[in-house]
Amino acid sequence: MRQLLPVLALAAALFVQSQTTALALDVVPPGNRNAEQPNIPGASMRRTKAGKTSFDAKYEKVRDLIANDGQLTGKIKSIAGKYGIAPIHMVGAIVGEHTYNVDAYDRLQSYYVKAASYTGNFRFAYDGESIGDFVARPEFAQCASKKGSYALWTCRESVWNRSFKGKTVGGTSFPNNRFSAVFFQPFYAGQTFGLGQINPLTALTLTDDVARISGYDKLDENDAAGVYQAIMDPDISLAYMAAAIRRSIDAYRKIAGVDISKNPGLTATLYNIGNPDARASAFSAHRAAGEATWPEENYYGWLINDKLAELEGLL
């Protein structure tokens, strides 16, 4: 009994510590911080105009796709459960992407058909240099010790931004553009694909999470066709969507000490703009300096919070 008492005391102390930590976490209130929708980027407006449609029409189309497809909502609920997130976060990301990025198909089956058409001998490269050869350059040596795909590709993207973006290195002039845009769109200008509108670089970053939780094969940057097949398949795309949202929630919890899991507009915003670790760090610094109280939604996330009651009704 004497031996048991210290163990029980330690367990009680750890429990109190965990509860204190949980209480210290600030929960972001529901709703939008901005009374009016932030400006929609010109590229999104031009894309929608070129399609001879409107944001309202695109929103209604993707809303109806979800509302009328019990198979899709079932998949969303099941996958969200595996990643420990509320399914409304996935609905928000799908609605945001198909309202401001691409028009939705009328049926889930159409996404499977589209995925089956993505075959071919293409690769991730720039100016004749494959991504595999590129990340073997000495500038990326610092990333070799990183554990897991998320840390590895986050490191590589940072090296790109610092050492290559908009610079001439070794006789090659690199565009002043995102890593994903330069190396990961091998056959036309689109950068995100499928039901989840996943960027190939995002998929590579999250592949360990998806392999561990959903059991799908890990992706390889040297197999571009395999990456595209994965992000075009609705089932796998939804898993990557959930993994991205989970990462955003965890980043703000661990780095900034705030819980964004009750605000789908914020998770949708981060799904749209990416880089949750860097953004959580920047928000934390602004908050410590008294320059911010809560993270704010962008135009994309604003729509999700504005339509939240209707979107929750789809589930």
Side-chain angles (χ1 to χ4, degrees):
M1 184 66 179
R2 289 180 178 178
Q3 292 179 338
L4 182 60
L5 286 175
V7 174
L8 293 174
L10 176 60
L14 290 173
F15 176 78
V16 171
Q17 182 180 16
S18 68
Q19 294 303 300
T20 302
T21 301
L23 290 172
L25 193 69
D26 293 328
V27 179
V28 178
N32 288 315
R33 307 284 77 83
N34 295 289
E36 296 183 357
Q37 185 177 28
N39 291 333
I40 300 171
S44 183
M45 297 179 72
R46 289 190 296 273
R47 187 184 306 117
T48 299
K49 184 177 180 180
K52 297 181 179 180
T53 184
S54 67
F55 293 128
D56 286 344
K58 290 169 73 175
Y59 167 80
E60 291 168 4
K61 188 173 183 180
V62 67
R63 178 203 61 196
D64 292 347
L65 166 68
I66 298 170
N68 297 326
D69 197 320
Q71 181 186 14
L72 175 56
T73 54
K75 289 177 183 291
I76 289 171
K77 291 176 183 178
S78 174
I79 293 171
K82 290 180 180 179
Y83 288 80
I85 61 176
I88 187 60
H89 294 291
M90 296 180 67
V91 169
I94 292 171
V95 169
E97 286 296 330
H98 289 81
T99 299
Y100 296 112
N101 191 352
V102 298
D103 212 348
Y105 289 124
D106 292 317
R107 298 181 304 124
L108 177 62
Q109 186 60 33
S110 298
Y111 288 95
Y112 289 103
V113 173
K114 186 68 173 178
S117 71
Y118 271 65
T119 59
N121 296 318
F122 50 88
R123 63 179 186 153
F124 297 134
Y126 173 72
D127 197 28
E129 183 177 17
S130 72
I131 185 62
D133 289 339
F134 181 67
V135 297
R137 288 182 177 225
E139 289 88 348
F140 292 95
Q142 62 190 280
C143 301
S145 61
K146 300 298 181 181
K147 303 297 183 183
S149 61
Y150 190 84
L152 175 63
W153 284 101
T154 298
C155 177
R156 287 172 170 174
E157 188 170 19
S158 295
V159 171
W160 162 264
N161 290 334
R162 183 173 60 251
S163 302
F164 294 94
K165 183 180 179 181
K167 298 179 180 180
T168 298
V169 182
T172 301
S173 179
F174 293 96
N176 185 21
N177 205 345
R178 296 183 303 277
F179 191 29
S180 59
V182 176
F183 270 92
F184 295 94
Q185 50 178 41
F187 53 99
Y188 64 90
Q191 295 177 41
T192 55
F193 301 86
L195 179 62
Q197 288 293 288
I198 305 293
N199 183 298
L201 178 57
T202 300
L204 288 166
T205 301
L206 297 171
T207 190
D208 280 1
D209 291 351
V210 172
R212 183 182 70 256
I213 298 173
S214 294
Y216 292 116
D217 292 340
K218 291 185 180 181
L219 303 178
D220 184 342
E221 67 270 22
N222 296 305
D223 179 17
V227 174
Y228 274 101
Q229 281 289 326
I231 61 180
M232 289 295 295
D233 181 289
D235 296 341
I236 308 178
S237 181
L238 286 170
Y240 276 95
M241 173 179 285
I245 294 167
R246 178 76 263 170
R247 279 281 179 179
S248 292
I249 292 172
D250 290 346
Y252 273 74
R253 182 185 297 268
K254 295 173 183 176
I255 299 171
V258 297
D259 181 1
I260 64 172
S261 68
K262 305 296 188 292
N263 194 305
L266 285 179
T267 57
T269 294
L270 291 164
Y271 190 82
N272 174 235
I273 60 180
N275 298 316
D277 287 27
R279 297 183 190 282
S281 181
F283 165 72
S284 182
H286 287 307
R287 197 181 198 210
E291 299 169 354
T293 303
W294 301 114
E296 294 185 8
E297 69 289 340
N298 70 350
Y299 70 98
Y300 180 118
W302 191 94
L303 173 77
I304 303 309
N305 278 340
D306 188 57
K307 301 284 190 180
L308 191 58
E310 181 177 29
L311 297 177
E312 287 179 328
L314 303 179
L315 296 166

